[in-house]
Amino acid sequence: MSSVEENVTDPYLWLEDVTGEDALDWVRARNDVVVQRFGSTDRFADFESRVLAMLDDDTKVAYPGRRGKWLYNFWRDAAHPRGVWRRTTFESYATDAPEWDVIIDVDALAEAEGENWVWGGAGVFRPTQERALVSLSRGGADATVVREFDMETRKFVTEDEGGFVLPEAKSRVGWIDIDTVYVGTDFGPGSLTDSGYPRIAKRWRRGTPLTEAETVYEGEPSDVSISVGYSRHPGYERHWLGRATDFFNEEVFLLDDQGEWQRVDAPTDADVSSYKDWLLIRPKTAWEVGGETYAPGSLIVTNLPAFMAGEREFEVLFTPDAHTSLDGYAWTENHLIVGTLQDVQTKLRVLTPGPDGWTSEDFPDAPPMSSISVNNLDPLEAGDEFMLTTNSFTQPTTLFSTAIGETPTVLKQAPAYFDAEGIEAEQFFATSDDGTQIPYFVVRHRDRRGTPGPTIMNGYGGFEISQTPGYLATAGITWLTRGGTFVIANIRGGGEYGPEWHTAGQKENRHLVYEDFAAVARDLVSRNITTPDQLGAVGGSNGGLLMGVMLTRYPELFGAIVCQVPLLDMKRYHLLLAGASWVAEYGDPEKPEEWAYLSEYSPYQNTDTHKQYPPILLTTSTRDDRVHPGHARKMAALLESQDRTVWYYENIEGGHGGAADNKQSAFKAALVYEFFTQMLVEGRKA
């Protein structure tokens, strides 16, 4: 009997009861097996301790977030496993021993309140920075409790004291002024979208109950979410609203002088942003307007007030080509910094508006096989100053301080966590089934060239997310220095070559994503880098779906698979937690014409008892309120019923990231690499 016939009534539906005792008993039993098999070896203990030491290292770079004169940082180490939120000045941060002012100690707070708090971030009121809206989650979930915090008294402001306090929900809240916020939250029945995000946005004034907050906009239940915000740039203050009708389409509005929301008439699938009176638009499909056609992935600019008045004259700031895409852009006070990807390697340019149009100049390039990113821009209070980070697969991050027109100076250098001597990165291209060239990176010791060896291959392929070079600290500790090879595949569905690289793998074209990953796997073998028995694959979330398809459609290509926080039941994904928000990426199973292609690859509906599958480790989190743990649970149960070699581990905490603190992160990482070592190096399959 095929799995399609077996699952007509879904015999494992009971495993979708996230906190049901029967389901959790099932989870605990399998966790015990995994810990005994993989978590009790001396090598696992070594992996875990070394990764934890890295995560807890108090010499690692404390990456800051700039808010005027203050640099904020959230920090975890051995003494603060839940972390501390703190700040310092730029002058102090630039020294070897910054003086940090701890604002909130999450460990102390959790102990005092008897809650399993995990830090969820903070929105600081500017420019005075006297108050903050602090988000805390229980166990690492997306849903958070929001509480107002007094930065001077270092105490939370209670509801009785007029504080802004929201119960646990997937809320969105932001300052308008010190006594007013925009808020979207769970206001009661009917206030959330089908995806579980705010459908209604309100203006909430201090000292009034949430029930009396003024509604400023209501979306439809079928929308993904509604968000409202306020831009405080002096002389250019604006209220804006975003109505996300699906994951990739958003209507953007500005509040006019009459208090009405006026639509910014740009394509709904475009990225739309403004700074002062500049309106930037990045179309994701060809846009014909004002007698011109602007290419997908280009960046165009115009005057915002003129555009709202009906003018449609744009200047083109960037046009993509076959090898180059727009990776991002951000403003300093007087300049626009544009980042591009040229065959998945980053470059920066500085664009400057002037009376005679825009000028452009190069910014120093990152070295080959590395990436460079811009951060800590604060055009309101830091002028043209900002920070740069560079890193590669083998070289840890360097943080630079700079300004437009200045030579970057090293501000902080992250320590090296593994001996990278002789370990090199290369880029190759595989040919997919339809002839498309698929880039991928290979990181290995030079002595491995010419000799196939154990290899781990990672991929994602969705939501226009690019996989760019970054320091492989954990893989270096546990895999590369032990002779392993690590591969990153830049398959379609991502954003490495712009929006068309993404849309090429959407909905009915999703099979191309999987064909790309399989093509890279075959290319690794043809180049004598590895063999199928020595090739492992790992991916999480959308990448977990990728792993499920590799298991069921291409099992002969792999010796082992790790599938993390995955989507796997594409028949029901839209009914589980945030799943409805991803219909624009995958398709709607309720529509027969879309289920027709979803059903072709949905892993839970496509296991084949006649095929041999490689060993698989499925991992997830009970507290993941984004991708339902039922996907991984049900798949594990189904594979067990077919006598497959399957292991299952579920962290009771951790959210979608799978870990709530450094210790859990270290355990999760050690588990993955111990599994691959046993499967790919030692060949211990059973």
Side-chain angles (χ1 to χ4, degrees):
M1 180 184 295
S2 73
S3 62
V4 173
E5 295 170 322
E6 287 178 321
N7 284 283
V8 169
T9 57
D10 197 348
Y12 305 111
L13 199 63
W14 61 278
L15 287 170
E16 291 183 6
D17 184 2
V18 176
T19 57
E21 278 306 309
D22 288 344
L24 288 178
D25 285 344
W26 181 93
V27 167
R28 293 185 188 102
R30 281 145 190 82
N31 283 359
D32 289 344
V33 172
V34 167
V35 171
Q36 179 62 35
R37 170 64 187 263
F38 301 104
S40 59
T41 69
D42 291 341
R43 181 174 53 221
F44 173 89
D46 178 59
F47 286 171
E48 183 182 35
S49 65
R50 293 177 64 194
V51 173
L52 182 58
M54 174 193 70
L55 296 174
D56 283 344
D57 181 12
D58 59 9
T59 68
K60 64 181 181 284
V61 175
Y63 296 102
R66 187 161 194 165
R67 305 285 184 276
K69 71 175 183 177
W70 295 110
L71 296 180
Y72 289 84
N73 168 257
F74 184 71
W75 179 264
R76 285 176 176 153
D77 58 24
H80 307 93
R82 297 182 188 274
V84 293
W85 184 45
R86 58 190 189 171
R87 70 184 181 185
T88 190
T89 63
F90 181 88
E91 291 74 20
S92 180
Y93 183 81
T95 68
D96 292 336
E99 295 181 4
W100 290 102
D101 175 16
V102 174
I103 303 169
I104 296 177
D105 183 327
V106 182
D107 295 88
L109 180 67
E111 182 177 358
E113 298 184 347
E115 290 278 9
N116 182 24
W117 289 133
V118 174
W119 184 252
V124 179
F125 178 73
R126 298 181 68 185
T128 61
Q129 305 193 49
E130 62 194 279
R131 296 288 177 95
L133 297 170
V134 172
S135 297
L136 299 162
S137 82
R138 294 181 173 93
D142 283 356
T144 61
V145 171
V146 179
R147 299 159 67 180
E148 185 176 357
F149 188 80
D150 189 316
M151 302 285 277
E152 296 176 353
T153 66
R154 302 298 167 93
K155 293 181 180 180
F156 286 103
V157 186
T158 67
E159 289 181 272
D160 292 342
E161 296 169 326
F164 295 113
V165 179
L166 294 173
E168 187 174 58
K170 294 183 180 180
S171 302
R172 290 179 175 167
V173 59
W175 297 103
I176 301 175
D177 56 47
I178 193 61
D179 292 317
T180 320
V181 297
Y182 278 128
V183 60
T185 190
D186 187 348
F187 296 110
S191 65
L192 299 179
T193 66
D194 295 339
S195 300
Y197 297 103
R199 183 183 69 82
I200 301 172
K202 298 189 178 188
R203 185 184 292 110
W204 186 16
R205 302 187 188 280
R206 185 180 300 282
T208 64
L210 183 61
T211 54
E212 295 181 8
E214 174 193 359
T215 297
V216 298
Y217 195 86
E218 289 194 35
E220 298 297 326
S222 59
D223 293 340
V224 170
S225 67
I226 301 299
S227 56
V228 187
Y230 175 69
S231 174
R232 68 173 188 88
H233 197 294
Y236 304 92
E237 296 89 348
R238 293 188 180 95
H239 299 257
W240 59 266
L241 181 147
R243 178 196 174 201
T245 55
D246 64 35
F247 201 90
F248 304 108
N249 286 272
E250 182 178 44
E251 297 174 351
V252 178
F253 300 83
L254 294 175
L255 193 67
D256 66 17
D257 294 338
Q258 286 71 48
E260 299 293 329
W261 292 108
Q262 297 297 320
R263 169 89 190 279
V264 179
D265 190 23
T268 59
D269 66 346
D271 294 327
V272 178
S273 64
S274 65
Y275 172 69
K276 295 183 179 178
D277 276 343
W278 297 110
L279 174 66
L280 296 174
I281 298 176
R282 176 182 177 252
K284 295 186 180 180
T285 52
W287 186 30
E288 295 184 22
V289 62
E292 301 288 341
T293 300
Y294 300 102
S298 59
L299 182 63
I300 57 178
V301 64
T302 191
N303 177 271
L304 176 57
F307 182 87
M308 297 302 291
E311 290 187 18
R312 294 296 182 266
E313 293 184 7
F314 291 92
E315 186 166 351
V316 178
L317 301 181
F318 171 81
T319 301
D321 60 36
H323 295 277
T324 309
S325 65
L326 185 65
D327 188 41
Y329 44 94
W331 288 93
T332 68
E333 183 181 12
N334 300 296
H335 307 271
L336 181 68
I337 303 176
V338 174
T340 63
L341 288 178
Q342 188 169 15
D343 284 330
V344 205
Q345 300 189 55
T346 54
K347 296 180 180 295
L348 297 178
R349 293 190 68 78
V350 177
L351 307 182
T352 305
D356 298 322
W358 290 69
T359 60
S360 174
E361 60 181 299
D362 291 331
F363 201 86
D365 288 339
M369 304 294 169
S370 65
S371 61
I372 183 170
S373 60
V374 177
N375 42 56
N376 283 310
L377 299 100
D378 185 1
L380 295 186
E381 298 181 62
D384 291 325
E385 296 178 358
F386 59 98
M387 295 183 191
L388 290 172
T389 56
T390 63
N391 62 72
S392 71
F393 296 114
T394 58
Q395 296 298 313
T397 301
T398 300
L399 180 64
F400 297 87
S401 173
T402 190
I404 300 298
E406 294 183 2
T407 301
T409 58
V410 174
L411 191 59
K412 300 289 178 182
Q413 174 70 59
Y417 290 108
F418 65 96
D419 182 2
E421 180 65 31
I423 296 176
E424 300 175 336
E426 302 167 276
Q427 187 181 47
F428 299 102
F429 290 80
T431 303
S432 197
D433 292 358
D434 66 351
T436 301
Q437 295 296 293
I438 309 301
Y440 65 94
F441 294 103
V442 174
V443 186
R444 57 181 171 171
H445 197 282
R446 65 169 71 98
D447 292 346
R448 298 300 311 177
R449 292 184 179 180
T451 304
T455 300
I456 296 173
M457 180 179 169
N458 173 257
Y460 187 78
F463 298 94
E464 204 178 344
I465 295 174
S466 302
Q467 303 284 85
T468 55
Y471 187 50
L472 297 175
T474 300
I477 290 170
T478 58
W479 190 251
L480 293 172
T481 53
R482 300 173 65 88
T485 297
F486 198 88
V487 173
I488 296 175
N490 301 113
I491 55 182
R492 279 174 283 189
E496 287 86 347
Y497 290 102
E500 292 179 302
W501 194 249
H502 167 232
T503 56
Q506 270 185 287
K507 290 191 169 184
E508 70 273 13
N509 296 320
R510 192 142 201 95
H511 65 94
L512 297 174
V513 175
Y514 309 130
E515 291 169 10
D516 291 354
F517 199 77
V520 173
R522 296 189 189 100
D523 203 61
L524 289 167
V525 174
S526 70
R527 292 181 189 274
N528 211 31
I529 293 171
T530 191
T531 64
D533 284 347
Q534 293 176 294
L535 178 58
V538 59
S541 191
N542 173 73
L545 171 59
L546 172 66
M547 296 302 105
V549 176
M550 291 303 107
L551 180 79
T552 54
R553 181 172 285 191
Y554 301 100
E556 73 282 357
L557 299 181
F558 302 97
I561 291 175
V562 174
C563 182
Q564 301 169 309
V565 290
L567 290 88
L568 294 167
D569 182 356
M570 301 306 287
K571 182 68 174 176
R572 286 179 52 77
Y573 85 92
H574 64 305
L575 304 175
L576 302 174
L577 299 175
S581 65
W582 308 320
V583 166
E585 177 78 3
Y586 301 119
D588 186 351
E590 303 290 347
K591 297 178 179 178
E593 68 275 17
E594 297 189 6
W595 173 242
Y597 56 76
L598 282 161
S599 66
E600 289 295 315
Y601 70 79
S602 178
Y604 189 57
Q605 282 78 27
N606 278 282
T607 60
D608 186 341
T609 55
H610 297 99
K611 284 185 177 181
Q612 294 257 332
Y613 288 169
I616 184 170
L617 170 65
L618 288 143
T619 69
T620 190
S621 166
T622 311
R623 290 293 294 166
D624 187 348
D625 56 354
R626 192 180 314 172
V627 176
H628 198 291
H631 285 278
R633 291 176 179 180
K634 295 195 303 179
M635 190 69 175
L638 176 61
L639 293 172
E640 284 178 358
S641 75
Q642 299 174 354
D643 294 323
R644 307 291 191 179
T645 303
V646 54
W647 285 276
Y648 180 87
Y649 185 83
E650 180 174 320
N651 187 13
I652 304 303
E653 299 179 335
H656 190 54
D661 57 34
N662 287 350
K663 188 173 182 180
Q664 292 177 19
S665 295
F667 177 91
K668 183 181 71 170
L671 179 63
V672 168
Y673 286 100
E674 175 64 19
F675 172 80
F676 277 132
T677 301
Q678 289 193 25
M679 298 300 111
L680 305 178
V681 180
E682 299 174 346
R684 295 167 55 196
K685 308 296 186 185

